[in-house]
Amino acid sequence: MTVRAIRGATQLDADEAEHLLERTAELMTEVLDRNDLTSDDVISIFLTATPDLRSAFPAVAVRNLGITDVPMMCAQEIGVPGALPRVVRLMAHVETDRPRADIRHVYLHGTTVLRDDLAEDR
């Protein structure tokens, strides 16, 4: 097995706890599904939120999916003027046999502009 990093992001319509948890859970689920992974394959997850998101910790959404034994850390994204607002980003470290070129990064709800070189249509 090789350790790979998978990136992803999602944008929220508003800073509301339930909405943040829903979108973050959707993001994590898509990362697992698109890469044929289970929670046992996940080593760690780093989550960030833009400074305009304060309603909930994104890690709570991942824990609510049943991923409770994986180390996670939440942090605030740098507040760069003009940056895309209301964004949760994710970087998951996983064990997989997939080559780097076959890793599927996940950008949802308007975030493909962050990394259009990595994002794929779904």
Side-chain angles (χ1 to χ4, degrees):
M1 286 288 175
T2 302
V3 175
R4 299 279 184 219
I6 303 174
R7 287 290 317 272
T10 190
Q11 188 176 38
L12 281 63
D13 299 324
D15 182 26
E16 298 168 355
E18 187 173 320
H19 184 53
L20 185 144
L21 297 176
E22 176 184 293
R23 288 276 171 101
T24 304
E26 175 190 29
L27 176 61
M28 187 69 223
T29 300
E30 283 293 317
V31 165
L32 294 174
D33 289 350
R34 291 187 193 186
N35 290 283
D36 297 318
L37 299 168
T38 69
S39 60
D40 288 337
D41 300 315
V42 181
I43 297 167
S44 64
I45 304 169
F46 187 65
L47 297 138
T48 66
T50 50
D52 52 3
L53 296 177
R54 296 179 207 82
S55 62
F57 291 108
V60 170
V62 179
R63 300 242 184 268
N64 288 345
L65 291 174
I67 303 173
T68 58
D69 59 349
V70 172
M72 289 184 231
M73 183 176 286
C74 292
Q76 187 177 75
E77 196 68 42
I78 298 170
V80 175
L84 196 61
R86 300 177 315 281
V87 174
V88 172
R89 290 174 173 85
L90 169 152
M91 183 164 54
H93 298 97
V94 302
E95 291 181 315
T96 181
D97 288 327
R98 282 179 175 233
R100 184 176 295 153
D102 291 344
I103 295 296
R104 299 293 161 241
H105 305 281
V106 178
Y107 291 86
L108 304 173
H109 304 287
T111 60
T112 56
V113 298
L114 298 173
R115 288 298 305 263
D116 58 0
D117 59 320
L118 293 179
E120 63 180 40
D121 290 331
R122 189 85 168 168

